[in-house]
Amino acid sequence: MRKGSILVTAILLVVALPAAADAGDGDKHRLPVFNFVRKIGTFIDSMTVRGLDRRYIDAPKKPWQIILQGNVNQSDLKMKTVLDGHDLFDESWGEVRWEPRVKSGVSTYVGLWAGYRGYGIGYSRNVGRDKGSLLKFGAMGGSYGVNLRIHRFETDNPTVHTSGYMPEWNEETREFWLFDPIRVRALSLDGYYLFNGKKFSYAAAYDQSVIQKRSAGSLMVGAMYYHSTVAYDDGLNADLILLMNDIGKLKQYQVSVGGGYAYNFVPCKGLLINAMAMPMLVFYNRFDAWRYNSNLREKALEMRQNPSASDSDEWDIDMEDFKIYPMEKDHRVTYHGKVSFLLDARLSITCNLGDWFVNAYGQLNNFRFRHEDINGSLTDWYVNASVGLRL
């Protein structure tokens, strides 16, 4: 079964469980799994309202949220490397800065979220030209929350800026077509703790499992794990790998902690505006790079040693014949970066209309990496709009 089918099935199962959770005491002959689900629901219900100031936060009588989500998303990957063209090609080349930029395009995703009192799962697919998917898990209680987001996309048309000295190709920005796409996968897992969970609810602004009745704010602490993979390690991309100093795949791991402030503003009944900002210290920053040799690289070195043959037909290699293979030395290089900072910022607007609610929120993240002769960043922003119903 494909991953998408499994996720859709899981969401449908979540949607179908209210009947089990609402079963009366007289339903003693139900299967044990239904009784187990009911007990979990009762426990979550008690945890949701425990310690809350009901003048500020209220828990809806209907605990389930079924949400139709639309998401506008863009990921912007920038990489930069410096290539010594003199050593690799010939005397006419100099030091070359090669800066590919991969943007996913402003992509539109449509999907479904199903949750019970702040615990749920959502899955969205790209409905535009770029291939991509979003998978989200959430668990939000009175004073804590955990969120997982996985974003995948690919592109075969990066924009490349060059500077330095190359014969007949200097100081330009141009499109670079690939026969095999660059594949990007980014995972972020974040958690937080609120110091004023009695009067302030983060869940009211981001999954609508509770309702904020009065304005309130809270100091908060949080932690984030981030992992990304950028891969273009295919023979058809031998030219790009060569110009990226032989690097064909990158992986980044970051762990950060921070503290910030969030505020829920309630200008009138049913309307909620939330803003959150959290500076974070990145104390673990690991970067892995995989290096590849190729028949294209070997041909360049051969021509460098024998300049008289550089104008012959021996230099020509059809792209379909490109081949790559791991470097004998330093195929995989690991680097641990310095301590750095990032900012986690979010904004949300919610309108509650009885059992229905409408919400829009946005988030911006920027993750950087550096390793000797290559560095870059991945900027990811998205705006999520949704219409939901409580059941």
Side-chain angles (χ1 to χ4, degrees), residues 12-22 33-34 37 64:
L12 292 176
L13 286 173
V14 171
V15 173
L17 288 177
D22 295 335
V33 65
F34 289 101
V37 170
W64 292 86

Side-chain angles (χ1 to χ4, degrees), residues 150-186:
I150 302 174
H151 181 210
R152 305 171 186 266
F153 71 93
E154 61 182 47
T155 181
D156 57 4
N157 184 210
T159 299
V160 178
H161 175 73
T162 60
S163 61
Y165 188 78
M166 292 175 289
E168 300 180 1
W169 189 6
N170 199 30
E171 296 287 350
E172 293 187 14
T173 298
R174 61 175 63 195
E175 292 183 338
F176 193 87
W177 292 95
L178 301 174
F179 281 84
D180 189 75
I182 297 175
R183 303 173 299 280
V184 181
R185 175 182 177 272

